[in-house]
mmCIF file of all heavy atoms in Angstrom:
data_model
loop_
_atom_site.group_PDB
_atom_site.id
_atom_site.type_symbol
_atom_site.label_atom_id
_atom_site.label_comp_id
_atom_site.label_asym_id
_atom_site.label_seq_id
_atom_site.Cartn_x
_atom_site.Cartn_y
_atom_site.Cartn_z
ATOM 1 N N MET A 13 0.800 -1.222 0.000
ATOM 2 C CA MET A 13 0.000 0.000 0.000
ATOM 3 C C MET A 13 0.833 1.272 0.000
ATOM 4 O O MET A 13 0.368 2.319 -0.461
ATOM 5 C CB MET A 13 -0.916 -0.001 1.224
ATOM 6 C CG MET A 13 -1.932 -1.116 1.225
ATOM 7 S SD MET A 13 -2.777 -1.293 2.835
ATOM 8 C CE MET A 13 -3.610 0.285 2.942
ATOM 9 N N ALA A 14 2.044 1.242 0.529
ATOM 10 C CA ALA A 14 2.869 2.439 0.656
ATOM 11 C C ALA A 14 3.258 2.973 -0.711
ATOM 12 O O ALA A 14 3.355 2.226 -1.694
ATOM 13 C CB ALA A 14 4.097 2.137 1.495
ATOM 14 N N GLY A 15 3.510 4.283 -0.747
ATOM 15 C CA GLY A 15 3.856 4.920 -2.009
ATOM 16 C C GLY A 15 5.277 5.442 -2.026
ATOM 17 O O GLY A 15 6.012 5.369 -1.030
ATOM 18 N N ALA A 16 5.656 5.991 -3.168
ATOM 19 C CA ALA A 16 6.992 6.555 -3.322
ATOM 20 C C ALA A 16 7.236 7.635 -2.275
ATOM 21 O O ALA A 16 6.373 8.483 -2.024
ATOM 22 C CB ALA A 16 7.152 7.129 -4.724
ATOM 23 N N GLY A 17 8.407 7.575 -1.646
ATOM 24 C CA GLY A 17 8.765 8.562 -0.640
ATOM 25 C C GLY A 17 8.334 8.222 0.769
ATOM 26 O O GLY A 17 8.725 8.912 1.717
ATOM 27 N N ASP A 18 7.537 7.165 0.925
ATOM 28 C CA ASP A 18 7.112 6.753 2.266
ATOM 29 C C ASP A 18 8.231 5.979 2.966
ATOM 30 O O ASP A 18 9.026 5.287 2.326
ATOM 31 C CB ASP A 18 5.879 5.855 2.201
ATOM 32 C CG ASP A 18 4.612 6.609 1.860
ATOM 33 O OD1 ASP A 18 4.604 7.846 1.985
ATOM 34 O OD2 ASP A 18 3.629 5.962 1.452
ATOM 35 N N VAL A 19 8.258 6.093 4.285
ATOM 36 C CA VAL A 19 9.093 5.237 5.121
ATOM 37 C C VAL A 19 8.177 4.265 5.841
ATOM 38 O O VAL A 19 7.267 4.679 6.568
ATOM 39 C CB VAL A 19 9.895 6.052 6.157
ATOM 40 C CG1 VAL A 19 10.618 5.128 7.137
ATOM 41 C CG2 VAL A 19 10.901 6.963 5.463
ATOM 42 N N LEU A 20 8.382 2.973 5.622
ATOM 43 C CA LEU A 20 7.623 1.964 6.350
ATOM 44 C C LEU A 20 8.052 1.974 7.808
ATOM 45 O O LEU A 20 9.240 1.834 8.110
ATOM 46 C CB LEU A 20 7.863 0.581 5.751
ATOM 47 C CG LEU A 20 7.337 0.345 4.333
ATOM 48 C CD1 LEU A 20 7.865 -0.986 3.802
ATOM 49 C CD2 LEU A 20 5.820 0.366 4.303
ATOM 50 N N VAL A 21 7.101 2.162 8.698
ATOM 51 C CA VAL A 21 7.376 2.143 10.135
ATOM 52 C C VAL A 21 6.592 0.984 10.717
ATOM 53 O O VAL A 21 5.356 1.035 10.808
ATOM 54 C CB VAL A 21 6.973 3.468 10.809
ATOM 55 C CG1 VAL A 21 7.228 3.395 12.316
ATOM 56 C CG2 VAL A 21 7.734 4.635 10.195
ATOM 57 N N CYS A 22 7.300 -0.082 11.097
ATOM 58 C CA CYS A 22 6.643 -1.305 11.553
ATOM 59 C C CYS A 22 6.862 -1.516 13.046
ATOM 60 O O CYS A 22 7.983 -1.760 13.492
ATOM 61 C CB CYS A 22 7.168 -2.508 10.784
ATOM 62 S SG CYS A 22 6.404 -4.063 11.303
ATOM 63 N N ASP A 23 5.768 -1.421 13.795
ATOM 64 C CA ASP A 23 5.800 -1.770 15.215
ATOM 65 C C ASP A 23 5.655 -3.281 15.320
ATOM 66 O O ASP A 23 4.590 -3.845 15.100
ATOM 67 C CB ASP A 23 4.655 -1.068 15.944
ATOM 68 C CG ASP A 23 4.623 -1.389 17.430
ATOM 69 O OD1 ASP A 23 5.508 -2.139 17.906
ATOM 70 O OD2 ASP A 23 3.711 -0.891 18.117
ATOM 71 N N ALA A 24 6.767 -3.937 15.641
ATOM 72 C CA ALA A 24 6.783 -5.398 15.774
ATOM 73 C C ALA A 24 6.639 -5.825 17.225
ATOM 74 O O ALA A 24 6.974 -6.958 17.579
ATOM 75 C CB ALA A 24 8.070 -5.964 15.187
ATOM 76 N N MET A 25 6.139 -4.897 18.057
ATOM 77 C CA MET A 25 5.948 -5.164 19.481
ATOM 78 C C MET A 25 7.259 -5.589 20.152
ATOM 79 O O MET A 25 7.277 -6.415 21.072
ATOM 80 C CB MET A 25 4.856 -6.220 19.698
ATOM 81 C CG MET A 25 3.515 -5.825 19.115
ATOM 82 S SD MET A 25 2.216 -7.027 19.519
ATOM 83 C CE MET A 25 0.823 -6.307 18.640
ATOM 84 N N ASN A 26 8.366 -5.012 19.643
ATOM 85 C CA ASN A 26 9.699 -5.243 20.212
ATOM 86 C C ASN A 26 10.139 -6.704 20.137
ATOM 87 O O ASN A 26 11.007 -7.137 20.903
ATOM 88 C CB ASN A 26 9.774 -4.732 21.650
ATOM 89 C CG ASN A 26 9.574 -3.238 21.741
ATOM 90 O OD1 ASN A 26 10.319 -2.469 21.143
ATOM 91 N ND2 ASN A 26 8.546 -2.809 22.463
ATOM 92 N N ALA A 27 9.559 -7.457 19.207
ATOM 93 C CA ALA A 27 9.957 -8.857 19.023
ATOM 94 C C ALA A 27 11.187 -8.890 18.115
ATOM 95 O O ALA A 27 11.061 -8.738 16.896
ATOM 96 C CB ALA A 27 8.814 -9.659 18.422
ATOM 97 N N THR A 28 12.342 -9.066 18.701
ATOM 98 C CA THR A 28 13.583 -8.974 17.936
ATOM 99 C C THR A 28 14.135 -10.321 17.500
ATOM 100 O O THR A 28 15.016 -10.370 16.639
ATOM 101 C CB THR A 28 14.658 -8.244 18.757
ATOM 102 O OG1 THR A 28 14.833 -8.920 20.011
ATOM 103 C CG2 THR A 28 14.257 -6.801 19.020
ATOM 104 N N GLU A 29 13.652 -11.431 18.067
ATOM 105 C CA GLU A 29 14.139 -12.753 17.663
ATOM 106 C C GLU A 29 13.334 -13.261 16.477
ATOM 107 O O GLU A 29 12.685 -14.312 16.522
ATOM 108 C CB GLU A 29 14.062 -13.716 18.847
ATOM 109 C CG GLU A 29 15.123 -13.457 19.904
ATOM 110 C CD GLU A 29 16.533 -13.598 19.340
ATOM 111 O OE1 GLU A 29 16.839 -14.645 18.735
ATOM 112 O OE2 GLU A 29 17.322 -12.647 19.485
ATOM 113 N N GLN A 30 13.373 -12.479 15.399
ATOM 114 C CA GLN A 30 12.665 -12.820 14.184
ATOM 115 C C GLN A 30 13.279 -12.025 13.044
ATOM 116 O O GLN A 30 13.817 -10.942 13.248
ATOM 117 C CB GLN A 30 11.172 -12.465 14.295
ATOM 118 C CG GLN A 30 10.923 -10.983 14.577
ATOM 119 C CD GLN A 30 9.454 -10.648 14.723
ATOM 120 O OE1 GLN A 30 8.620 -11.497 14.959
ATOM 121 N NE2 GLN A 30 9.129 -9.373 14.559
ATOM 122 N N GLY A 31 13.220 -12.582 11.847
ATOM 123 C CA GLY A 31 13.646 -11.867 10.653
ATOM 124 C C GLY A 31 12.430 -11.579 9.799
ATOM 125 O O GLY A 31 12.117 -12.304 8.867
ATOM 126 N N MET A 32 11.722 -10.493 10.117
ATOM 127 C CA MET A 32 10.426 -10.222 9.501
ATOM 128 C C MET A 32 10.527 -9.490 8.167
ATOM 129 O O MET A 32 9.525 -9.308 7.474
ATOM 130 C CB MET A 32 9.562 -9.421 10.465
ATOM 131 C CG MET A 32 10.102 -8.047 10.784
ATOM 132 S SD MET A 32 9.125 -7.237 12.064
ATOM 133 C CE MET A 32 7.490 -7.320 11.347
ATOM 134 N N PHE A 33 11.724 -9.078 7.793
ATOM 135 C CA PHE A 33 11.944 -8.344 6.544
ATOM 136 C C PHE A 33 13.288 -8.787 5.999
ATOM 137 O O PHE A 33 14.277 -8.831 6.737
ATOM 138 C CB PHE A 33 11.940 -6.837 6.816
ATOM 139 C CG PHE A 33 12.031 -5.969 5.594
ATOM 140 C CD1 PHE A 33 10.897 -5.475 4.983
ATOM 141 C CD2 PHE A 33 13.268 -5.623 5.067
ATOM 142 C CE1 PHE A 33 10.983 -4.659 3.862
ATOM 143 C CE2 PHE A 33 13.361 -4.807 3.942
ATOM 144 C CZ PHE A 33 12.217 -4.318 3.339
ATOM 145 N N GLY A 34 13.323 -9.132 4.692
ATOM 146 C CA GLY A 34 14.562 -9.610 4.108
ATOM 147 C C GLY A 34 14.840 -8.993 2.755
ATOM 148 O O GLY A 34 14.209 -7.996 2.356
ATOM 149 N N ASP A 35 15.782 -9.592 2.017
ATOM 150 C CA ASP A 35 16.247 -8.980 0.780
ATOM 151 C C ASP A 35 15.195 -8.956 -0.324
ATOM 152 O O ASP A 35 15.170 -8.024 -1.140
ATOM 153 C CB ASP A 35 17.527 -9.652 0.296
ATOM 154 C CG ASP A 35 17.429 -11.167 0.192
ATOM 155 O OD1 ASP A 35 16.324 -11.718 0.364
ATOM 156 O OD2 ASP A 35 18.479 -11.793 -0.046
ATOM 157 N N VAL A 36 14.293 -9.942 -0.359
ATOM 158 C CA VAL A 36 13.249 -9.927 -1.391
ATOM 159 C C VAL A 36 12.301 -8.747 -1.174
ATOM 160 O O VAL A 36 11.968 -8.011 -2.121
ATOM 161 C CB VAL A 36 12.462 -11.256 -1.392
ATOM 162 C CG1 VAL A 36 11.286 -11.180 -2.355
ATOM 163 C CG2 VAL A 36 13.379 -12.418 -1.771
ATOM 164 N N MET A 37 11.883 -8.542 0.067
ATOM 165 C CA MET A 37 11.015 -7.405 0.377
ATOM 166 C C MET A 37 11.756 -6.091 0.137
ATOM 167 O O MET A 37 11.165 -5.098 -0.308
ATOM 168 C CB MET A 37 10.512 -7.494 1.815
ATOM 169 C CG MET A 37 9.614 -8.691 2.080
ATOM 170 S SD MET A 37 9.103 -8.830 3.812
ATOM 171 C CE MET A 37 7.857 -7.538 3.908
ATOM 172 N N ALA A 38 13.055 -6.071 0.433
ATOM 173 C CA ALA A 38 13.846 -4.857 0.208
ATOM 174 C C ALA A 38 13.889 -4.512 -1.276
ATOM 175 O O ALA A 38 13.770 -3.343 -1.666
ATOM 176 C CB ALA A 38 15.258 -5.045 0.756
ATOM 177 N N SER A 39 14.050 -5.522 -2.128
ATOM 178 C CA SER A 39 14.059 -5.288 -3.573
ATOM 179 C C SER A 39 12.712 -4.750 -4.047
ATOM 180 O O SER A 39 12.645 -3.835 -4.884
ATOM 181 C CB SER A 39 14.394 -6.583 -4.312
ATOM 182 O OG SER A 39 15.706 -7.014 -4.020
#
């Protein structure tokens, strides 16, 4: 849904023992 120029801000409830975003999503 996000558009050009947006910064995705994801509240993951401080769950850090997870890899919720990777290189495919980055591309």
Side-chain angles (χ1 to χ4, degrees):
M13 296 168 63
D18 287 343
V19 173
L20 294 170
V21 178
C22 180
D23 180 1
M25 302 185 182
N26 297 301
T28 56
E29 287 300 307
Q30 59 182 19
M32 64 186 305
F33 185 94
D35 52 7
V36 174
M37 295 177 76
S39 295

